[in-house]
mmCIF file with all atom_site columns, all heavy atoms in Angstrom:
data_model
loop_
_atom_site.group_PDB
_atom_site.id
_atom_site.type_symbol
_atom_site.label_atom_id
_atom_site.label_alt_id
_atom_site.label_comp_id
_atom_site.label_asym_id
_atom_site.label_entity_id
_atom_site.label_seq_id
_atom_site.pdbx_PDB_ins_code
_atom_site.Cartn_x
_atom_site.Cartn_y
_atom_site.Cartn_z
_atom_site.occupancy
_atom_site.B_iso_or_equiv
_atom_site.pdbx_formal_charge
_atom_site.auth_seq_id
_atom_site.auth_comp_id
_atom_site.auth_asym_id
_atom_site.auth_atom_id
_atom_site.pdbx_PDB_model_num
ATOM 1  N N   . GLN A 1 9   ? 95.848  91.869  169.718 1.00 95.00 ? 9   GLN A N   1
ATOM 2  C CA  . GLN A 1 9   ? 94.666  91.214  170.139 1.00 95.00 ? 9   GLN A CA  1
ATOM 3  C C   . GLN A 1 9   ? 94.915  90.316  171.378 1.00 95.00 ? 9   GLN A C   1
ATOM 4  O O   . GLN A 1 9   ? 94.143  90.346  172.341 1.00 95.00 ? 9   GLN A O   1
ATOM 5  C CB  . GLN A 1 9   ? 94.035  90.345  168.961 1.00 95.00 ? 9   GLN A CB  1
ATOM 6  C CG  . GLN A 1 9   ? 93.597  91.198  167.815 1.00 95.00 ? 9   GLN A CG  1
ATOM 7  C CD  . GLN A 1 9   ? 93.141  90.183  166.603 1.00 95.00 ? 9   GLN A CD  1
ATOM 8  O OE1 . GLN A 1 9   ? 92.558  89.253  166.812 1.00 95.00 ? 9   GLN A OE1 1
ATOM 9  N NE2 . GLN A 1 9   ? 93.451  90.686  165.467 1.00 95.00 ? 9   GLN A NE2 1
ATOM 10 N N   . TRP A 1 41  ? 108.161 91.890  191.993 1.00 97.00 ? 41  TRP A N   1
ATOM 11 C CA  . TRP A 1 41  ? 107.183 92.763  192.606 1.00 97.00 ? 41  TRP A CA  1
ATOM 12 C C   . TRP A 1 41  ? 107.890 93.711  193.465 1.00 97.00 ? 41  TRP A C   1
ATOM 13 O O   . TRP A 1 41  ? 108.413 93.391  194.546 1.00 97.00 ? 41  TRP A O   1
ATOM 14 C CB  . TRP A 1 41  ? 106.293 91.788  193.382 1.00 97.00 ? 41  TRP A CB  1
ATOM 15 C CG  . TRP A 1 41  ? 105.068 92.542  193.910 1.00 97.00 ? 41  TRP A CG  1
ATOM 16 C CD1 . TRP A 1 41  ? 104.940 93.217  195.073 1.00 97.00 ? 41  TRP A CD1 1
ATOM 17 C CD2 . TRP A 1 41  ? 103.780 92.678  193.378 1.00 97.00 ? 41  TRP A CD2 1
ATOM 18 N NE1 . TRP A 1 41  ? 103.777 93.866  195.263 1.00 97.00 ? 41  TRP A NE1 1
ATOM 19 C CE2 . TRP A 1 41  ? 103.038 93.453  194.213 1.00 97.00 ? 41  TRP A CE2 1
ATOM 20 C CE3 . TRP A 1 41  ? 103.221 92.179  192.150 1.00 97.00 ? 41  TRP A CE3 1
ATOM 21 C CZ2 . TRP A 1 41  ? 101.705 93.829  193.979 1.00 97.00 ? 41  TRP A CZ2 1
ATOM 22 C CZ3 . TRP A 1 41  ? 101.879 92.479  191.867 1.00 97.00 ? 41  TRP A CZ3 1
ATOM 23 C CH2 . TRP A 1 41  ? 101.167 93.284  192.782 1.00 97.00 ? 41  TRP A CH2 1
ATOM 24 N N   . GLN A 1 74  ? 103.916 94.320  171.707 1.00 97.00 ? 74  GLN A N   1
ATOM 25 C CA  . GLN A 1 74  ? 104.894 94.207  170.573 1.00 97.00 ? 74  GLN A CA  1
ATOM 26 C C   . GLN A 1 74  ? 105.099 92.689  170.447 1.00 97.00 ? 74  GLN A C   1
ATOM 27 O O   . GLN A 1 74  ? 105.119 91.972  171.445 1.00 97.00 ? 74  GLN A O   1
ATOM 28 C CB  . GLN A 1 74  ? 106.142 94.818  170.882 1.00 97.00 ? 74  GLN A CB  1
ATOM 29 C CG  . GLN A 1 74  ? 106.149 96.385  170.973 1.00 97.00 ? 74  GLN A CG  1
ATOM 30 C CD  . GLN A 1 74  ? 107.466 96.910  171.311 1.00 97.00 ? 74  GLN A CD  1
ATOM 31 O OE1 . GLN A 1 74  ? 108.398 96.194  171.539 1.00 97.00 ? 74  GLN A OE1 1
ATOM 32 N NE2 . GLN A 1 74  ? 107.576 98.247  171.194 1.00 97.00 ? 74  GLN A NE2 1
ATOM 33 N N   . PRO A 1 75  ? 105.359 92.265  169.183 1.00 96.00 ? 75  PRO A N   1
ATOM 34 C CA  . PRO A 1 75  ? 105.857 90.844  169.016 1.00 96.00 ? 75  PRO A CA  1
ATOM 35 C C   . PRO A 1 75  ? 107.270 90.842  169.581 1.00 96.00 ? 75  PRO A C   1
ATOM 36 O O   . PRO A 1 75  ? 107.968 91.880  169.483 1.00 96.00 ? 75  PRO A O   1
ATOM 37 C CB  . PRO A 1 75  ? 105.854 90.736  167.582 1.00 96.00 ? 75  PRO A CB  1
ATOM 38 C CG  . PRO A 1 75  ? 105.888 92.201  166.902 1.00 96.00 ? 75  PRO A CG  1
ATOM 39 C CD  . PRO A 1 75  ? 105.299 93.037  167.975 1.00 96.00 ? 75  PRO A CD  1
ATOM 40 N N   . VAL A 1 86  ? 100.106 100.642 181.868 1.00 97.00 ? 86  VAL A N   1
ATOM 41 C CA  . VAL A 1 86  ? 100.161 101.784 182.750 1.00 97.00 ? 86  VAL A CA  1
ATOM 42 C C   . VAL A 1 86  ? 98.740  102.035 183.340 1.00 97.00 ? 86  VAL A C   1
ATOM 43 O O   . VAL A 1 86  ? 97.847  101.950 182.532 1.00 97.00 ? 86  VAL A O   1
ATOM 44 C CB  . VAL A 1 86  ? 100.735 103.024 182.105 1.00 97.00 ? 86  VAL A CB  1
ATOM 45 C CG1 . VAL A 1 86  ? 100.711 104.251 183.067 1.00 97.00 ? 86  VAL A CG1 1
ATOM 46 C CG2 . VAL A 1 86  ? 102.134 102.842 181.628 1.00 97.00 ? 86  VAL A CG2 1
ATOM 47 N N   . GLN A 1 88  ? 96.092  102.898 187.207 1.00 97.00 ? 88  GLN A N   1
ATOM 48 C CA  . GLN A 1 88  ? 95.937  103.282 188.478 1.00 97.00 ? 88  GLN A CA  1
ATOM 49 C C   . GLN A 1 88  ? 95.294  102.142 189.204 1.00 97.00 ? 88  GLN A C   1
ATOM 50 O O   . GLN A 1 88  ? 94.544  101.354 188.611 1.00 97.00 ? 88  GLN A O   1
ATOM 51 C CB  . GLN A 1 88  ? 95.084  104.536 188.624 1.00 97.00 ? 88  GLN A CB  1
ATOM 52 C CG  . GLN A 1 88  ? 95.758  105.770 188.001 1.00 97.00 ? 88  GLN A CG  1
ATOM 53 C CD  . GLN A 1 88  ? 94.823  106.939 188.081 1.00 97.00 ? 88  GLN A CD  1
ATOM 54 O OE1 . GLN A 1 88  ? 93.657  106.870 188.039 1.00 97.00 ? 88  GLN A OE1 1
ATOM 55 N NE2 . GLN A 1 88  ? 95.382  108.143 188.393 1.00 97.00 ? 88  GLN A NE2 1
ATOM 56 N N   . GLY A 1 98  ? 99.393  105.166 191.092 1.00 95.00 ? 98  GLY A N   1
ATOM 57 C CA  . GLY A 1 98  ? 99.786  104.690 189.732 1.00 95.00 ? 98  GLY A CA  1
ATOM 58 C C   . GLY A 1 98  ? 100.559 103.548 189.729 1.00 95.00 ? 98  GLY A C   1
ATOM 59 O O   . GLY A 1 98  ? 101.323 103.173 190.792 1.00 95.00 ? 98  GLY A O   1
ATOM 60 N N   . ASN A 1 116 ? 107.065 86.107  182.278 1.00 98.00 ? 116 ASN A N   1
ATOM 61 C CA  . ASN A 1 116 ? 107.707 87.129  182.977 1.00 98.00 ? 116 ASN A CA  1
ATOM 62 C C   . ASN A 1 116 ? 106.762 88.230  183.334 1.00 98.00 ? 116 ASN A C   1
ATOM 63 O O   . ASN A 1 116 ? 105.960 88.627  182.487 1.00 98.00 ? 116 ASN A O   1
ATOM 64 C CB  . ASN A 1 116 ? 108.882 87.690  182.208 1.00 98.00 ? 116 ASN A CB  1
ATOM 65 C CG  . ASN A 1 116 ? 109.884 86.625  181.827 1.00 98.00 ? 116 ASN A CG  1
ATOM 66 O OD1 . ASN A 1 116 ? 109.710 85.918  180.911 1.00 98.00 ? 116 ASN A OD1 1
ATOM 67 N ND2 . ASN A 1 116 ? 110.951 86.606  182.616 1.00 98.00 ? 116 ASN A ND2 1
#
Side-chain angles (χ1 to χ4, degrees):
Q9 294 176 37
W41 187 275
Q74 294 181 349
V86 176
Q88 296 180 321
N116 300 81

